[in-house]
Amino acid sequence: MAQQDDLFKKIISHCKEYGFVFPSSEIYDGLSAVYDYGQYGSELKNNIKRYWWEAMTLLNRNVVGIDSAIFMHPKIWKASGHVDAFNDPLIDNKDSKKRYRADVLIEDYLAKIEEKINKEVAKAAKKFGDQFDEAQFRATNPRVLDNLKKYEEVHTRFSNALNDNNLEDLREIIVDCEIVCPISGTRNWTEVRQFNLMFATEMGSTAEGAMKVYLRPETAQGIFVNFLNVQKTGRMKVPFGIAQIGKAFRNEIVARQFIFRMREFEQMEMQFFVRPGEELQWFEHWKSMRLKWHKALGLGDTKYRYHDHEKLAHYANAATDIEFEMPFGFKEVEGIHSRTDFDLKRHEEFSGKKLQYFDPELNQSYVPYVIETSIGLDRMFLTVMFGSYAEEATESGEVRTVLRLPAALAPVKLAVLPLVRKDGLAEKAQEIVDNLRFDFNCQLDEKDSIGKRYRRQDAIGTPYCITVDHQSLEDNTVTIRNRDTMQQERVAIEDLAKIIGEATSMKSLLKKIEQ
């Protein structure tokens, strides 16, 4: 666990040192749970957006995109249920004065029990080697069985308390499990209370005429209220989807874990409208497709898993998370939800407008059911960083820090390095950059020794480094170095665009999804 915490701290430090993520308003001592993306972070973020957007709109002929406003009519949030039900169960420790999400405290407790079981299994596997039967060990070992029984008992109580929205039971679980405050180490807890997460503000030129509005806590409602606009103007036939990337805002009281949980964040959401009765088969389809999208990045198939929801949201009849193994455990990166017809029917009710689709094949009108895929862009950014960060020994005995970013997502695709800044090498390097800069994000890196420049480019995840030497002036060839293998080969300058283009194209990622 200590090693994982250390890795997390290293990645946070790396993000700041190399221009990926900065604490917001840092010269004013920062703003809690708000971050700015630096020069490389913003490039990586934009590339992730492009990968998602093209996977949605290019690979699916029946998915189109929109960009709805952040401010929307306040009745929208009443209809969606956010005004009345968008709450987190919070509990305070009286000694540390710190506030926590009650459900997260219990989830962390359950994760520790799982960790104990896995440690027992790992210890036995090491002891018995090839003869080890994991299934039999889990079914017979007394310590494993005791921990499993404890896990199942707490898990059942937890699930029931969430589904019943029983705040007293949540507190009782925390007390009975002797869960302590991470800061004070005490169990001096308050009651559990609900806290609404929406930011409210006022719109209007005068105090008397101002209308209370909200910063949107999700982007989905902007899609629902534009359902008919898109369907009619695009002549869309069910099933079809509407995709959107945009900012959302939540007043997270327990914001933590760097950019994993922030107050201002970005979502990539797609609402897929289907015939009633067909929603669960489409739910399975999108569940499978979205996992393929993640795995195509090559961050490690075993690092992903599905997690079915214990408590379904008020609008859902099926829900699954795609989780990624981060240094602080498996955490949700994307949610796939079958939202039924809840949203469109609620907006019909509150707006007084019909939001129905006439199906020419069935010769009838109906309110479509909806499958949602919702991914946090900032969490996806963190996932890519966790999956790419590595420290490894080189042949020279030094340790290099490298970001093995998927080449299509890398902020800088190639760096051109003149061996020295004289004899015309710098000018030749500049010429190469000028020729390639409209196709790729290129850097001209002239400062420090060639070794230090390689390390700098490794640290920001640049897939290829091009070294210009005296031979380049004679035969128009350069040395191209691969970030991951550190192998070098001599190639013609005129072939660089093709070599780099094939290796870093978004097309290469998109094709993996369809394999």
Side-chain angles (χ1 to χ4, degrees):
M1 194 68 179
Q3 284 184 333
Q4 293 299 311
D5 288 342
D6 186 49
L7 173 62
F8 190 25
K9 291 175 182 176
K10 283 182 177 180
I11 289 174
I12 294 173
S13 175
H14 191 91
C15 281
K16 183 180 179 184
E17 181 180 356
Y18 287 95
F20 284 90
V21 183
F22 306 130
S24 183
S25 313
E26 186 177 20
I27 62 172
Y28 291 97
D29 297 324
L31 191 61
S32 176
V34 183
Y35 291 89
D36 300 330
Y37 285 83
Q39 64 274 29
Y40 299 125
S42 57
E43 289 287 342
L44 175 56
K45 199 177 181 186
N46 285 334
N47 289 339
I48 295 172
K49 287 184 193 179
R50 184 181 159 211
Y51 175 46
W52 183 87
W53 189 267
E54 293 188 0
M56 283 296 175
T57 60
L58 297 186
L59 298 186
N60 302 283
R61 295 179 181 177
N62 55 352
V63 176
V64 296
I66 67 167
D67 184 6
S68 66
I70 289 173
F71 289 121
M72 292 190 283
H73 197 286
K75 268 192 177 182
I76 287 174
W77 305 113
K78 187 71 175 175
S80 67
H82 283 82
V83 171
D84 299 319
F86 192 54
N87 305 306
D88 272 347
L90 301 180
I91 190 168
D92 295 293
N93 182 269
K94 296 177 183 177
D95 298 318
S96 67
K97 313 299 183 190
K98 293 293 183 181
R99 182 167 289 173
Y100 303 91
R101 276 181 55 177
D103 56 331
V104 171
L105 287 175
I106 299 170
E107 286 172 357
D108 288 346
Y109 175 81
L110 290 170
K112 288 177 182 177
I113 298 177
E114 276 190 302
E115 191 178 345
K116 285 182 181 179
I117 294 173
N118 292 334
K119 280 184 178 178
E120 290 288 345
V121 173
K123 188 166 63 175
K126 185 177 181 181
K127 180 178 179 181
F128 295 108
D130 294 338
Q131 298 178 334
F132 179 63
D133 187 331
E134 182 176 335
Q136 183 182 10
F137 182 81
R138 286 180 178 272
T140 58
N141 182 269
R143 286 186 295 275
V144 169
L145 292 175
D146 284 347
N147 278 314
L148 187 60
K149 181 182 177 183
K150 184 191 297 184
Y151 180 93
E152 289 175 347
E153 287 175 353
V154 175
H155 187 268
T156 300
R157 288 180 63 190
F158 179 47
S159 179
N160 291 338
L162 285 179
N163 283 314
D164 297 340
N165 199 27
N166 192 322
L167 302 184
E168 290 183 11
D169 281 359
L170 284 177
R171 186 181 186 278
E172 282 184 20
I173 294 170
I174 291 171
V175 172
D176 292 347
C177 294
E178 299 182 347
I179 296 173
V180 301
C181 168
I183 305 298
S184 68
T186 68
R187 300 193 293 271
N188 193 8
W189 298 108
T190 64
E191 298 302 311
V192 178
R193 299 182 301 277
Q194 293 284 21
F195 180 85
N196 193 282
L197 302 178
M198 285 199 294
F199 284 103
T201 186
E202 292 183 341
M203 180 179 288
S205 57
T206 63
E208 295 78 13
M211 176 173 65
K212 185 178 183 180
V213 294
Y214 300 96
L215 295 180
R216 65 182 180 192
E218 65 175 25
T219 60
Q221 299 307 318
I223 295 175
F224 293 128
V225 298
N226 279 296
F227 160 69
L228 275 187
N229 288 334
V230 174
Q231 188 272 314
K232 290 179 178 178
T233 58
R235 296 186 296 171
M236 308 297 292
K237 293 182 179 180
V238 166
F240 74 92
I242 303 175
Q244 177 171 216
I245 299 174
K247 291 273 191 175
F249 307 84
R250 296 179 184 178
N251 192 14
E252 296 277 5
I253 294 301
V254 195
R256 59 177 186 167
Q257 293 168 328
F258 192 36
I259 59 172
F260 182 80
R261 191 182 300 280
M262 298 192 295
R263 294 187 170 94
E264 175 187 341
F265 56 98
E266 208 158 353
Q267 288 183 305
M268 304 186 292
E269 294 196 320
M270 192 275 296
Q271 308 299 328
F272 196 73
F273 301 91
V274 303
R275 286 176 177 171
E278 296 182 0
E279 70 275 7
L280 293 183
Q281 69 187 62
W282 281 109
F283 172 77
E284 292 298 328
H285 167 81
W286 283 108
K287 181 177 167 181
S288 172
M289 289 303 296
R290 293 310 303 148
L291 187 59
K292 286 182 180 179
W293 182 88
H294 287 276
K295 287 185 175 181
L297 292 171
L299 302 179
D301 288 3
T302 59
K303 289 183 174 289
Y304 295 96
R305 72 180 186 186
Y306 289 121
H307 174 71
D308 294 330
H309 281 211
E310 298 297 337
K311 178 187 177 183
L312 291 177
H314 59 280
Y315 51 74
N317 65 357
T320 295
D321 292 337
I322 293 175
E323 296 184 335
F324 183 80
E325 188 177 17
M326 302 192 183
F328 39 88
F330 275 97
K331 296 295 180 181
E332 175 195 354
V333 178
E334 177 162 8
I336 300 98
H337 312 108
S338 175
R339 296 181 73 121
T340 68
D341 58 357
F342 173 84
D343 299 276
L344 292 179
K345 279 192 171 178
R346 290 281 287 185
H347 288 306
E348 274 194 335
E349 177 188 345
F350 278 75
S351 70
K353 308 289 194 309
K354 279 193 174 183
L355 297 175
Q356 298 187 3
Y357 169 76
F358 178 75
D359 194 323
E361 294 181 14
L362 300 179
N363 196 32
Q364 69 179 67
S365 295
Y366 54 79
V367 176
Y369 273 44
V370 179
I371 307 303
E372 172 185 72
T373 73
S374 177
I375 177 170
L377 175 56
D378 306 277
R379 290 187 181 188
M380 190 62 211
F381 182 100
L382 198 55
T383 296
V384 171
M385 293 298 289
F386 284 145
S388 303
Y389 183 90
E391 294 177 355
E392 57 187 32
T394 64
E395 291 181 358
S396 62
E398 63 178 320
V399 175
R400 73 162 182 155
T401 298
V402 56
L403 284 183
R404 299 186 184 278
L405 297 169
L409 302 186
V412 179
K413 297 299 188 281
L414 75 152
V416 182
L417 287 51
L419 196 60
V420 293
R421 283 192 287 184
K422 59 183 182 178
D423 302 333
L425 299 188
E427 289 77 9
K428 188 68 174 179
Q430 184 65 60
E431 180 186 320
I432 294 172
V433 170
D434 289 342
N435 288 334
L436 296 176
R437 64 193 176 98
F438 292 107
D439 297 309
F440 314 104
N441 191 351
C442 309
Q443 271 196 1
L444 177 65
D445 196 347
E446 301 176 297
K447 187 180 178 182
D448 298 323
S449 69
I450 197 75
K452 285 184 178 179
R453 283 182 273 173
Y454 282 154
R455 294 294 168 264
R456 185 158 56 234
Q457 295 300 328
D458 289 343
I460 64 172
T462 305
Y464 295 99
C465 286
I466 310 300
T467 303
V468 179
D469 55 23
H470 291 90
Q471 184 180 336
S472 304
L473 302 178
E474 299 171 7
D475 60 9
N476 266 341
T477 65
V478 289
T479 301
I480 184 169
R481 172 187 180 268
N482 184 292
R483 175 198 65 200
D484 298 333
T485 65
M486 293 190 287
Q487 297 297 310
Q488 301 184 32
E489 63 175 314
R490 201 83 192 175
V491 300
I493 292 175
E494 64 183 16
D495 293 336
L496 284 176
K498 182 181 178 182
I499 295 170
I500 305 294
E502 289 177 353
T504 64
S505 74
M506 197 65 73
K507 185 192 300 184
S508 62
L509 274 184
L510 296 175
K511 284 186 173 180
K512 288 181 183 178
I513 300 173
E514 294 195 317
Q515 289 176 356

